[in-house]
Amino acid sequence: MAHTDLAFHPEHDHHGCIEQALEDARSLCNERNLRFTPIRELVLKTIWQSHKPLGAYELLPELAAAGFNSAPPTVYRALEFLQEQGLVHRIALLNAYIGCPHPSDHHEGSFLICRVCNNAVEIDTRKVSQDIQKQADTLGFKPEKQSIEVLGVCPSCQQSAA
């Protein structure tokens, strides 16, 4: 089962996703001589607990339970670092964050988001991005950031509704 299929399978065990995300983060931070602090690790681990995007305020109780300062600026600093390193993406539509399954590949995140269960999956939209770039070039426009977020209903929720 491809990673992109996992988000829409409720029986999926996230332990493997969490371990891989933490291993990737440690490796990436080591390569870049950056500190992967316990707070950053906990925020990343919490985000990877499921494939549901989490808002910053949803992360606060986890920090408090672990004995860290659970003030919003603490969470936002950790999220900013994780986002800058490509370890998480922000989903603007939900004002929430989700783990990136391939952080070493610089890219803009594109997502399919289930409006019923709130699971989200990152999808490859390189061809779409190339088409956007071609049209922007034609118009003399210089894109700086793009976001593709598609709201719909996942296979599991479609099946449950049937």
Side-chain angles (χ1 to χ4, degrees):
M1 188 178 309
H3 175 81
T4 54
D5 298 336
L6 298 178
F8 298 137
H9 289 276
E11 71 282 355
H12 168 65
D13 177 13
H14 300 287
H15 182 74
C17 293
I18 294 167
E19 291 307 312
Q20 185 63 55
L22 293 175
E23 183 181 317
D24 289 347
R26 288 183 194 110
S27 174
L28 191 138
C29 287
N30 190 39
E31 288 171 14
R32 297 176 183 173
N33 289 326
L34 299 169
R35 292 184 58 227
F36 189 51
T37 64
I39 289 176
R40 292 170 178 170
E41 182 173 343
L42 180 58
V43 168
L44 184 63
K45 183 177 182 179
T46 304
I47 286 173
W48 273 98
Q49 299 274 326
S50 75
H51 291 283
K52 291 182 188 342
L54 295 176
Y57 283 83
E58 294 173 282
L59 298 166
L60 293 174
E62 198 72 30
L63 287 179
F68 293 110
N69 177 3
S70 62
T74 303
V75 173
Y76 282 112
R77 278 192 299 272
L79 288 167
E80 181 180 24
F81 172 86
L82 296 171
Q83 203 174 357
E84 286 172 355
Q85 302 313 313
L87 296 164
V88 300
H89 293 291
R90 181 175 177 274
I91 297 180
L93 185 67
L94 304 175
N95 192 23
Y97 298 84
I98 192 163
C100 177
H102 35 83
S104 58
D105 176 25
H106 179 72
H107 61 283
E108 298 287 341
S110 299
F111 302 93
L112 299 178
I113 306 160
C114 180
R115 66 172 170 74
V116 178
C117 69
N118 293 322
N119 277 346
V121 64
E122 186 173 351
I123 57 172
D124 181 357
T125 56
R126 282 180 277 202
K127 291 179 184 173
V128 173
S129 295
Q130 290 168 356
D131 286 345
I132 290 171
Q133 185 61 55
K134 284 180 190 173
Q135 290 187 37
D137 289 346
T138 300
L139 296 170
F141 184 81
K142 184 179 178 188
E144 295 176 354
K145 185 169 177 64
Q146 90 178 28
S147 177
I148 299 172
E149 300 173 0
V150 181
L151 193 62
V153 182
C154 74
S156 295
C157 291
Q158 288 176 49
Q159 208 169 34
S160 295

